[in-house]
Amino acid sequence: MAESFGTLLRSLRHTGGLTIEELSHASGVSVRAIGDMERGASRGPQRRTVEALADALRLDDAQRTVLSEAARAGRPRQEAGAPGACELPRGVGDFTGRARELALLRELAEAAGQGRTAVVAAVSGAAGIGKTALAVRAAGELADLFPDGCFYVDLRGMDPVPLDSGTVLSRLLKALGVAERRIPADEEDRAGHYRALLRERRCLIVLDNAAHEGQVRPLLPSDGPVMALVTSRRPLAGLEGVHQIPLAHLASEEAVALLSAIVGEGRAGAESEGVARVASLCGNLPLALRIAGNRLQSRPGWTVGHLAARLGDEGRRVESLAAGDLSVAAAFALSYRQLSAEARRVFRRLALAVAPDFGVPMTAVLAELGPGEAEDALEELVDCGLLLSPYPGRYRFHDLVRLFARARLSEEESIVAQRQVRRRMDDWLLEVATVAGRWFEPDHGAPPLDWSSPVALDSSQEAQEWLQLEGEAWLAALRQAARAGENARVVEVAGAMHWFSDLWMHWGHWPEVFELSAGAARAMGDRAQEAAHLNYLSWARTYCQARHVEGEATALCALELAREVGDVRQQGWALVYATWASWARDDEPSQEVALGYTRQAVECFRQAGDTEGYAHAMVSVGNCLRRVGRVEESVRHSLAVVERLRDPAFGGSPAIVSHAVGAALDLVGDGYLELGRWQEAADHYRQALSELRGRPIVRAMAVSLLNLGKALVRLGEVEEAREAFREAVELYEGAGDTARAARVVRELDQLRSGVHEALDERQGGAADLAPAAVDGQ
């Protein structure tokens, strides 16, 4: 009986005095593959593998012949595969990135054959993201692990009629050496024969461009030293026991590297900014990058900047990304044609959404679907790679896909229909924004009992989450309403936001919101409303933009208007806002003026019966007293304010009044800190934080925590001080306030090094002001 290939190979290796590792290094065949051959797991390697081993072993002609015959004998006794059948397509020499995915695929390939079950990996991703390129690259790099061959089939999943699994099985059986006359007629028998063959071979099967699980399932090997690599625009989540590898878009530096490799490093280096710009306009999508690079290669007279300028036109960008038979629009169109009618309508109408991401409720409004139907359509779009889902319940477009959706909308729906859809979306956004904002208004709260909407607003927490999540969307709708001259609506929406705005002070768009509403009130000729919204604008300029001089001037303008119309309440608020803005000036005369403002405000609120305004004005008096150096008087005043506000007979909004109590207690802590009474300072900061957490305004809480930490350091309670500083850092970082976060980190660093300076946060100049002061009307 002839010697087996594995036994012969081992004998020849020992004769040559080589270890498996040394033979692997000399031949280029992996250690794992050689081990499989010697153990008999791979009995008949391919000719090129045998030749590489023979060269490394320095065999003479006779020995080569014996080794080749042993390999041939180890292969199943069938006809050779048809020449070129199921061969891998040509790879690209400038393949870039995907290091993590390639490493994972190598890890899976090395594991193939160790257990009884075959290894299957499914690479999924959007059109043009580089699934096929990755699969072909991986197959080339892993060829040494699969000495019995790598076989490739394009399943044509995006065709109107994809390849059926029976046809694919027939092709693969022929490639594996089965004569056509011996291929079973029954598809199930073909699948069984195919799996039986792979059980004895160390092969890689690449199934590219799969349509769905049903097409792929019969093509997957069941056991043996084999690996199958499947690609699809859909995630194929229904396949069992599969390693899912979703592909994301290239990172910016990888996209630049790929484009540079295509156009040539010299040309790319000469126009590096242009290359980066083109890569960005291509959305880091590999197909788009390849097309852009090919266009530059075929047009040597073009500069990279010229192409960037062409791609800068959003209306023509997708159409411009075409070269020969490569086209971004055509790739997207293949996926679009696969969609249900509802999903197509959702896809094109979502082009009207101006925010970067969106949820089910707004989609339902845009597409005139129920929430369940809208969610099904969104998930269908995700499965087809036309939408991304960054986290549960939220969806977004890739930039180029959004432009394609916009083109589909323009092509398939009339201008009148588009305007109606946009108006319906804007009306809904502004309605929900108003209802959500009023959760925080003392005179409103929960939505009316008869109010219904696709979004739930059953608590103030849900209202806050919606306002923040859809901030860009309802702001865009507000801008549109202002452009359309819908002044009353603009005033109504902005008016519903002023108490809520304290809780999201770091948003950054409140100055614009209240500029729009103040302008709308002026256009209506409603001077009382203009005064109110100028007051809101004063707060935004002072606290959101640190434009303190403009903040004070805006408040004084509101004061003049309020006096003209006899609105005592708005006069009080204008004086409070002028006070807060004037705190940015550290000179004593300015602080004396501020004390005069706020005392007038107290009287205005008393006359108007505005309890919330009165509470905040009284707290502001205490702050002014401290700022003019009357620290002990400030402490006494603030303690009296706490007692007055805690009286059940005081009334007012519990949440707002409680916050005012916290602000007053915070001022008491400030006074004791300045007087060097550390324990009393710490005690009052703790009490203040207990109240402030009920209506968490980031800046107010963070500064109280910082000053609590300073008092605790003086008391020697270092660990608790450290915790207070850490929480302050987290609050600032969560609000995107990196400058203040860095200052607290310095405090922490000083604490760690044993050197701590008791800096007074509130004496830090215009950047800090009095953080417990809030927009309070």
Side-chain angles (χ1 to χ4, degrees):
M1 182 174 179
E3 195 172 15
S4 73
F5 180 84
T7 303
L8 178 59
L9 176 62
R10 186 184 301 111
S11 173
L12 291 169
R13 178 171 63 79
H14 287 165
T15 300
L18 298 175
T19 65
I20 290 181
E21 289 76 12
E22 289 169 337
L23 179 56
S24 171
H25 179 73
S27 65
V29 180
S30 73
V31 170
R32 177 64 54 78
I34 295 171
D36 284 347
M37 295 173 203
E38 292 192 357
R39 290 194 307 273
S42 176
R43 301 178 184 177
Q46 290 187 323
R47 181 174 55 81
R48 63 177 179 272
T49 302
V50 176
E51 290 175 353
L53 292 168
D55 289 342
L57 291 166
R58 301 180 181 275
L59 302 183
D60 58 30
D61 290 344
Q63 289 172 315
R64 284 175 180 270
T65 300
V66 171
L67 188 64
S68 296
E69 288 297 332
R72 190 176 302 112
R75 296 171 194 145
R77 294 184 177 280
Q78 298 164 343
E79 294 180 15
C86 296
E87 283 287 316
L88 287 168
R90 171 178 171 269
V92 291
D94 49 29
F95 184 91
T96 303
R98 306 300 189 201
R100 184 187 68 83
E101 291 83 0
L102 286 168
L104 176 56
L105 288 170
R106 174 163 286 277
E107 181 181 329
L108 293 173
E110 290 174 347
Q114 288 188 343
R116 295 186 61 188
T117 305
V119 172
V120 181
V123 175
S124 60
I129 207 164
K131 301 178 293 298
T132 299
L134 172 64
V136 172
R137 180 72 168 200
E141 291 187 359
L142 301 176
D144 65 311
L145 295 174
F146 299 101
D148 295 327
C150 297
F151 304 96
Y152 170 93
V153 181
D154 181 355
L155 301 181
R156 309 196 67 83
M158 290 294 104
D159 285 9
V161 181
L163 282 182
D164 65 271
S165 52
T167 300
V168 178
L169 284 166
S170 181
R171 291 186 184 180
L172 286 168
L173 286 169
K174 289 178 185 177
L176 288 165
V178 179
E180 186 167 358
R181 66 182 179 279
R182 295 181 179 174
I183 295 175
D186 180 76
E187 182 177 326
E188 189 171 336
D189 291 342
R190 286 185 197 176
H193 193 25
Y194 165 75
R195 287 192 293 270
L197 285 176
L198 293 181
R199 193 174 296 122
E200 302 298 328
R201 301 194 188 188
R202 192 153 175 76
C203 296
L204 173 65
I205 308 295
V206 179
L207 303 170
D208 191 26
N209 193 14
H212 47 73
E213 292 90 339
Q215 182 193 33
V216 172
R217 195 171 280 112
L219 309 177
L220 300 181
S222 56
D223 50 23
V226 64
M227 177 176 175
L229 176 55
V230 187
T231 76
S232 177
R233 296 190 185 186
R234 299 177 180 273
L236 303 179
L239 294 178
E240 305 84 359
V242 170
H243 299 273
Q244 297 286 351
I245 305 178
L247 280 194
H249 294 85
L250 293 176
S252 296
E253 58 274 15
E254 290 176 331
V256 169
L258 175 57
L259 187 57
S260 300
I262 297 170
V263 302
E265 294 297 338
R267 189 174 183 185
E271 296 186 74
S272 58
E273 290 186 8
V275 169
R277 174 65 176 155
V278 169
S280 175
L281 290 169
C282 289
N284 298 345
L285 183 70
L287 174 62
L289 292 164
R290 185 156 300 284
I291 290 170
N294 289 353
R295 294 199 75 182
L296 286 169
Q297 277 191 314
S298 63
R299 293 165 176 79
W302 281 17
T303 65
V304 179
H306 176 74
L307 179 59
R310 288 176 65 91
L311 296 178
D313 182 353
E314 285 193 351
R316 297 180 55 197
R317 186 180 306 163
V318 175
E319 289 71 21
S320 296
L321 288 169
D325 61 352
L326 292 179
S327 167
V328 167
F332 294 159
L334 288 174
S335 292
Y336 183 70
R337 287 199 295 267
Q338 301 280 325
L339 300 173
S340 65
E342 291 79 7
R344 286 198 296 272
R345 182 164 74 250
V346 165
F347 175 75
R348 59 180 181 263
R349 289 188 178 182
L350 280 172
L352 294 171
V354 296
D357 58 68
F358 34 82
V360 172
M362 192 170 77
T363 302
V365 171
L366 275 170
E368 302 173 84
L369 295 171
E373 296 170 306
E375 185 174 22
D376 289 345
L378 288 166
E379 289 298 322
E380 184 180 344
L381 290 166
V382 172
D383 284 346
C384 285
L386 290 172
L387 281 184
L388 305 171
S389 184
Y391 50 93
R394 301 299 292 180
Y395 304 85
R396 65 180 176 87
F397 281 115
H398 180 272
D399 289 345
L400 293 177
V401 179
R402 182 190 290 274
L403 296 178
F404 176 73
R406 190 179 298 170
R408 290 296 87 221
L409 181 68
S410 177
E411 183 73 22
E412 297 180 35
E413 301 202 29
S414 68
I415 293 295
V416 171
Q418 292 178 48
R419 287 173 179 166
Q420 289 173 344
V421 172
R422 175 64 188 267
R423 180 55 187 259
R424 183 169 57 252
M425 176 182 69
D426 286 349
D427 285 349
W428 178 77
L429 285 167
L430 295 179
E431 177 192 345
V432 178
T434 303
V435 173
R438 283 176 175 167
W439 253 111
F440 307 92
E441 293 294 299
D443 299 329
H444 288 276
L449 293 176
D450 60 349
W451 186 77
S452 64
S453 174
V455 65
L457 296 178
D458 297 330
S459 67
S460 59
Q461 181 63 30
E462 288 181 338
Q464 181 171 348
E465 288 173 357
W466 187 90
L467 286 167
Q468 293 178 342
L469 199 59
E470 301 292 0
E472 291 194 47
W474 66 255
L475 176 59
L478 188 70
R479 291 172 180 146
Q480 179 60 29
R483 285 193 293 268
E486 298 173 14
N487 297 316
R489 184 147 212 191
V490 173
V491 168
E492 178 187 40
V493 174
M497 295 294 160
H498 67 274
W499 279 110
F500 167 71
S501 61
D502 291 322
L503 303 177
W504 200 21
M505 190 185 301
H506 57 278
W507 183 36
H509 293 291
W510 295 118
E512 180 185 2
V513 169
F514 297 130
E515 282 174 357
L516 291 174
S517 61
R522 189 179 310 115
M524 292 165 61
D526 190 331
R527 298 175 77 76
Q529 285 281 20
E530 185 181 357
H533 287 264
L534 283 172
N535 275 331
Y536 308 156
L537 179 56
S538 170
W539 168 85
R541 285 176 172 165
T542 297
Y543 280 97
C544 301
Q545 296 179 308
R547 291 161 56 182
H548 310 104
V549 174
E550 291 179 59
E552 185 175 2
T554 304
L556 294 177
C557 181
L559 178 63
E560 183 179 346
L561 285 173
R563 284 172 173 165
E564 287 180 16
V565 297
D567 191 329
V568 179
R569 179 172 178 269
Q570 289 302 327
Q571 291 174 43
W573 281 112
L575 289 161
V576 166
Y577 289 131
T579 300
W580 293 349
S582 67
W583 283 341
R585 300 197 300 273
D586 288 334
D587 59 289
E588 188 171 332
S590 296
Q591 301 312 309
E592 290 287 356
V593 170
L595 181 58
Y597 284 157
T598 196
R599 281 180 165 157
Q600 293 177 59
V602 169
E603 186 55 35
C604 288
F605 288 130
R606 197 194 315 274
Q607 292 180 35
D610 185 338
T611 53
E612 291 84 16
Y614 177 83
H616 283 87
M618 289 295 287
V619 172
S620 296
V621 169
N623 209 318
C624 288
L625 288 170
R626 190 183 70 83
R627 287 172 178 276
V628 297
R630 293 152 65 176
V631 179
E632 292 183 348
E633 185 179 353
S634 171
V635 170
R636 291 194 300 272
H637 171 86
S638 299
L639 286 170
V641 168
V642 170
E643 184 177 0
R644 175 77 179 92
L645 298 184
R646 282 179 168 168
D647 186 338
F650 182 77
S653 163
I656 295 169
V657 172
S658 175
H659 185 89
V661 170
L665 287 166
D666 192 62
L667 279 171
V668 175
D670 290 345
Y672 284 137
L673 190 66
E674 197 164 339
L675 293 169
R677 294 162 64 174
W678 318 122
Q679 187 62 60
E680 289 161 296
D683 290 344
H684 283 85
Y685 284 132
R686 291 190 186 102
Q687 293 177 52
L689 284 162
S690 179
E691 300 284 348
L692 295 174
R693 291 184 196 280
R695 192 168 185 272
I697 298 175
V698 167
R699 195 176 300 174
M701 288 181 57
V703 175
S704 289
L705 285 161
L706 176 57
N707 288 330
L708 170 61
K710 292 174 181 177
L712 291 169
V713 169
R714 295 292 189 177
L715 292 168
E717 299 177 27
V718 176
E719 190 53 43
E720 189 180 348
R722 187 175 288 117
E723 289 304 313
F725 289 147
R726 284 174 182 156
E727 186 178 353
V729 170
E730 289 174 4
L731 287 169
Y732 279 138
E733 288 179 344
D737 195 338
T738 55
R740 287 188 174 88
R743 289 167 59 182
V744 185
V745 169
R746 286 198 296 273
E747 296 279 346
L748 267 170
D749 290 342
Q750 290 173 346
L751 190 57
R752 291 191 189 99
S753 64
V755 180
H756 186 83
E757 299 176 10
L759 302 174
D760 183 356
E761 170 78 4
R762 287 201 176 81
Q763 307 235 344
D768 296 310
L769 294 173
V774 296
D775 175 17
Q777 286 196 57

